Amino acid sequence: MQKKSYLKELSISNTQKRLGTTNTKKEVEKIQSWLTLFAIQNPNAGTATGIDGDFGPATEKAVMNFQKTLGLNQTGIVDNILFEKLCLPLKNAFETPIVGNNLRELIVNAAKNHAQNNPFELIIKGQSNTGPWVRAYMDGNEGSSWYWCMGFAQTIIDQAASIQGKNFKSLMPLSYSCDTIGTTGLQKNILTRYQAARTNPTLIKPGDLFLLQKSTYDWYHTGIVIKVQGDIIETIEGNTNNDGSSNGNAVLNRIRNFKQSKIDFFSIESLI
């Protein structure tokens, strides 16, 4: 893979614990982030805690509750073995073997695998678009201004293309901008405009990117096309929510009506 920032999210440099001499603020924030992410999926676990880099009694108790949930000794101490259990969803998303008969199937299956592991952003120090999932998709970048829908989509294409020994950068530049990718699609003549897609839905294929159009040369949200049926596309997209926001907080499987919205489509055919 070209996008390997996720590897930095899978380990800590030293054991972290209350009053630990090897504690660092960055490592404690990573632990607190994963405890909070675990709480989002397991609201009764009692692992939600502040993300401030301070391994105090609240963090210690949250760690103990996490250990209790897994049937482990409740030490309140986080070494790399326990941290690997905390960040297992991200490891599964990026490193579970993906199978498919062709690149399009690989892209679809990679996107589904990520969605099944519940990628979710956090709010840290008042900043949205933060946390380990965002950094993994955005090459270490995070913060309110770092919309991550394109980072997610490119990660999926990169992961799938790498299985076939291909470099996704031959299809598009590394970018977090929908405008950059939309413009690239126009320059390469691989962007299907919404008018053509509405007239001929066969131009839309699973594995392609959809791009929501704000105006002719302005796009504001993207994701992976999973299925086309009738007037609708099934998608998996990052930085969205149940309302289909372009600045939501999760990776979700969604349904969009491409005949009622201005949705252009970026074809990955030339990478096949």
Side-chain angles (χ1 to χ4, degrees), residues 127-130 134 138 141-148 176 239 247:
Q127 294 280 309
S128 61
N129 298 332
T130 61
V134 176
M138 298 293 285
N141 297 299
E142 64 180 335
S144 295
S145 63
W146 290 93
Y147 291 8
W148 50 278
Y176 316 116
N239 209 177
N247 189 23

Side-chain angles (χ1 to χ4, degrees), residues 16-19 23 28 31 53-57 59-60 63 76 78:
Q16 309 287 299
K17 61 183 179 179
R18 187 179 179 188
L19 304 178
N23 288 4
V28 174
I31 291 166
D54 179 22
F55 204 120
T59 299
E60 182 181 53
V63 172
V78 182

